[in-house]
Amino acid sequence: MLTPRTYRIALIPWITSVALAVSGLPVSGLSVPTAAQNPPQPDAPSASQPIPGIRALMTDVIEHQKKLEKIRENYTYHSSTTTQEIDSSGQVKKTESEDSEVFFVNSHRIERTVKKDGKPLNEHDQQKEQERVNKLVEKAQKTPPGEPLEGPNTNISVSHLLDIMQATNPRRETFRGRSTIVFDFAGKPDAKTHGMAEDASKKIAGTLWVDEHDRQVARMEAHFTDNFHVGGGLLANVQKGSSFYFDQALINGEIWLPTGAEGHIEARVLLLKGIRQHVVERDFDYQRFSVDAQTGKTATVVEPKN
């Protein structure tokens, strides 16, 4: 069975990397100034201001993310994932949950499972989980940022995606009280691709919201526009219409962290078993490694200004 960890390690991070890479594509028909000509302002921009170029915008996002890596390593938070198995009639036939503590080492996200189905791990499972986490921490310290600790390498450069996907319809929207630059992206079905990530990229479409002031991804929604075969269909076949989203928010006025994700996945595994799953992840209880964190002070999501 596909587990919650499978989605978090492989699917959702991979979709995120695809969306971020796609967002560097040029938007045809636009003549816009670069980010340097239009630096983000604390106050919400007027509707008459030019929309930043998508390539320049996402270059800023990547650079800002790199600058925040060390700050992110000062944070930990709680992640709770619920996975529902759905039968052919749309009814829930099984529900599983997993709670984890999340932290970062050398920019890599590491999760320590603390509960399954609402029950703390027993002593034996705690020891096994700690051993697994210790190995991941050691590996993270030696693995350059951007390379995966687990699962396939999902990195895709913008240059490789130039002929695979395109970004369209850039616009400015207010999202949760903050000004965002929004654009749609979609794969080109006839594009030539190499490797699993590129193959899947041309079968995905969605929308990305980028916080205009902080140059951070606030939300992403995506869905498969066609069936996607993993391993030529021998390993899995993700069905058209499978969809997912993730959200981030500004924490303590200094760092953007995940607040949740959700996926509706239909797939056939090993040519035999059909799977329908609804996966929901909620992230909360952000704490900073500092004197305040040691005394139990909890980080909070910064409320947007009116």
Side-chain angles (χ1 to χ4, degrees):
M1 185 188 70
L2 298 180
T3 66
R5 178 169 277 128
T6 301
Y7 289 109
R8 295 198 300 276
I9 291 175
L11 185 58
I12 292 177
W14 166 65
I15 293 299
T16 304
S17 67
V18 170
L20 289 174
V22 169
S23 58
L25 297 176
V27 181
S28 59
L30 284 180
S31 176
V32 292
T34 64
Q37 293 169 311
N38 268 300
Q41 301 296 324
D43 297 328
S46 67
S48 62
Q49 286 184 296
I51 294 177
I54 301 301
R55 182 183 294 275
L57 177 69
M58 294 315 296
T59 298
D60 283 351
V61 169
I62 294 170
E63 290 303 314
H64 284 200
Q65 195 69 17
K66 289 179 180 178
K67 292 178 181 178
L68 292 177
E69 284 179 356
K70 288 301 180 182
I71 298 178
R72 188 164 59 241
E73 291 180 11
N74 292 330
Y75 276 86
T76 181
Y77 60 91
H78 192 94
S79 183
S80 179
T81 302
T82 301
T83 302
Q84 295 177 326
E85 287 193 40
I86 312 298
D87 63 22
S88 57
S89 63
Q91 300 300 309
V92 177
K93 62 180 182 179
K94 184 178 181 180
T95 300
E96 295 179 334
S97 66
E98 185 173 291
D99 289 69
S100 303
E101 295 174 350
V102 182
F103 59 98
F104 297 86
V105 176
N106 194 24
S107 83
H108 299 287
R109 169 172 163 154
I110 296 178
E111 301 178 23
R112 178 191 292 109
T113 301
V114 294
K115 290 183 181 180
K116 287 188 176 181
D117 297 327
K119 298 179 180 179
L121 300 185
N122 59 40
E123 186 175 348
H124 174 70
D125 288 342
Q126 285 183 34
Q127 182 176 350
K128 289 180 59 178
E129 179 65 2
Q130 189 59 55
E131 290 173 355
R132 184 190 71 83
V133 169
N134 290 344
K135 290 179 180 178
L136 277 181
V137 169
E138 183 178 353
K139 187 176 181 180
Q141 292 170 338
K142 300 176 181 178
T143 303
E147 294 185 11
L149 292 182
E150 300 177 281
N153 192 332
T154 60
N155 292 331
I156 309 176
S157 67
V158 170
S159 61
H160 283 310
L161 282 172
L162 286 171
D163 296 324
I164 301 174
M165 306 183 80
Q166 61 183 0
T168 59
N169 192 25
R171 55 205 183 268
R172 180 178 282 117
E173 294 181 3
T174 300
F175 181 70
R176 294 176 180 167
R178 297 176 67 94
S179 177
T180 59
I181 301 300
V182 186
F183 62 89
D184 305 318
F185 60 90
K188 301 176 182 178
D190 57 350
K192 294 182 179 180
T193 56
H194 302 281
M196 184 184 72
E198 290 185 19
D199 291 345
S201 300
K202 64 182 183 181
K203 297 185 177 183
I204 290 176
T207 303
L208 203 70
W209 285 256
V210 178
D211 187 88
E212 189 164 7
H213 177 247
D214 285 1
R215 294 305 203 249
Q216 293 289 326
V217 175
R219 183 179 177 88
M220 188 202 70
E221 297 177 355
H223 64 275
F224 279 92
T225 58
D226 196 0
N227 294 343
F228 172 60
H229 305 288
V230 181
L234 297 177
L235 297 179
N237 182 10
V238 181
Q239 300 295 306
K240 173 182 178 180
S242 294
S243 62
F244 22 84
Y245 79 81
F246 82 90
D247 287 325
Q248 293 194 125
L250 181 62
I251 307 299
N252 279 352
E254 66 171 354
I255 183 71
W256 285 73
L257 291 172
T259 57
E262 186 169 352
H264 294 269
I265 311 298
E266 290 193 32
R268 185 166 295 278
V269 179
L270 301 176
L271 300 178
L272 298 173
K273 185 176 182 180
I275 291 177
R276 295 181 180 86
Q277 289 189 344
H278 176 210
V279 183
V280 177
E281 177 177 302
R282 295 289 177 261
D283 304 304
F284 54 95
D285 193 22
Y286 309 93
Q287 295 191 18
R288 202 180 198 282
F289 292 118
S290 64
V291 174
D292 286 339
Q294 293 171 4
T295 59
K297 184 177 179 180
T298 301
T300 57
V301 176
V302 174
E303 293 295 334
K305 296 180 179 179
N306 295 328

